[in-house]
Amino acid sequence: MIDFSKIKSKKEVGKCFDYAILPKQTTEQTIRDCCKEAIKYNCKAFCFSSSYWTPIVAEELKGTDILVGAAIGFPFGQQTSAVKAFETEEAVRMGATVLDNCMNVGALKDKRYDEIKPACELCIEAGIDWVKSSTGQYAGPTLEQVILMADCCKGTNTRVKVSGVKDPRPQNAYVFLRAGADLIGTRQAPQIIDSFDTMRKIGIIPPYEGE
């Protein structure tokens, strides 16, 4: 869990956010401009919809510590494993340094599981670094769902990433982080990071107590 009492500034909190640009109408100029924003706000990663944009993002982020985040099987995860494997190999070959792999939720439902807990357990068993709430394209998670994900991953090496943060985004994003998420993926990363001082002023983020 993130200890906000040790985070002093907006620059530091930037590493709690992946800047995600996913719309189908996204242009090359938008990708390049938003990569520059990701650098400005010190985000953890810049995420995009497929390997198509990987070379451009890798070019823009060269020399920074920001991860190049390609989506695999976006947005429904219903490709075959062979197709996902090819997408993965291609994205890495082009310069991706982190991958958002979309789970086939229909296949999970066919097993008649309660979705969240077994999905987290499968990711933990497979050694996946992050378990993610959704693609962020549709309904976002509830606070209770994020808490359940965090509880499932507690004591493991798998951490929780939340996408699909809805309005009011700054308040909801920081509450998810305080509830046990370690990372937020959102197109509104700059807006949410800019609200850091306000969220601290009103008490959503605790006061800074130093190292």
Side-chain angles (χ1 to χ4, degrees), residues 33-131:
D33 290 345
C34 291
C35 282
K36 291 178 175 63
E37 277 197 296
I39 296 169
K40 174 184 174 181
Y41 283 92
N42 193 37
C43 294
K44 187 175 184 68
F46 182 85
C47 298
F48 43 95
S49 59
S50 75
S51 58
Y52 179 82
W53 297 116
T54 305
I56 292 169
V57 175
E59 175 191 331
E60 289 290 336
L61 299 182
K62 186 177 181 179
T64 76
D65 65 349
I66 299 173
L67 299 173
V68 178
I72 305 298
F74 181 84
F76 300 118
Q78 293 180 337
Q79 293 85 341
T80 64
S81 296
V83 170
K84 287 183 176 179
F86 175 80
E87 285 188 54
T88 298
E89 292 170 3
E90 180 181 57
V92 172
R93 184 172 65 251
M94 289 179 167
T97 53
V98 66
L99 303 170
D100 261 6
N101 190 350
C102 298
M103 176 181 284
N104 186 333
V105 177
L108 185 69
K109 284 179 176 287
D110 281 342
K111 297 296 185 181
R112 295 181 173 81
Y113 294 130
D114 167 56
E115 295 169 39
I116 296 175
K117 190 171 187 291
C120 290
E121 290 170 347
L122 288 169
C123 290
I124 292 166
E125 182 180 345
I128 302 297
D129 293 325
W130 297 90
V131 60

Side-chain angles (χ1 to χ4, degrees), residues 97-99 123-124 126-132 153 156-161 182-183:
T97 53
V98 66
L99 303 170
C123 290
I124 292 166
I128 302 297
D129 293 325
W130 297 90
V131 60
K132 184 177 174 181
C153 295
T156 76
N157 292 324
T158 298
R159 293 182 288 173
V160 175
K161 176 178 176 178
D182 293 284
L183 189 62

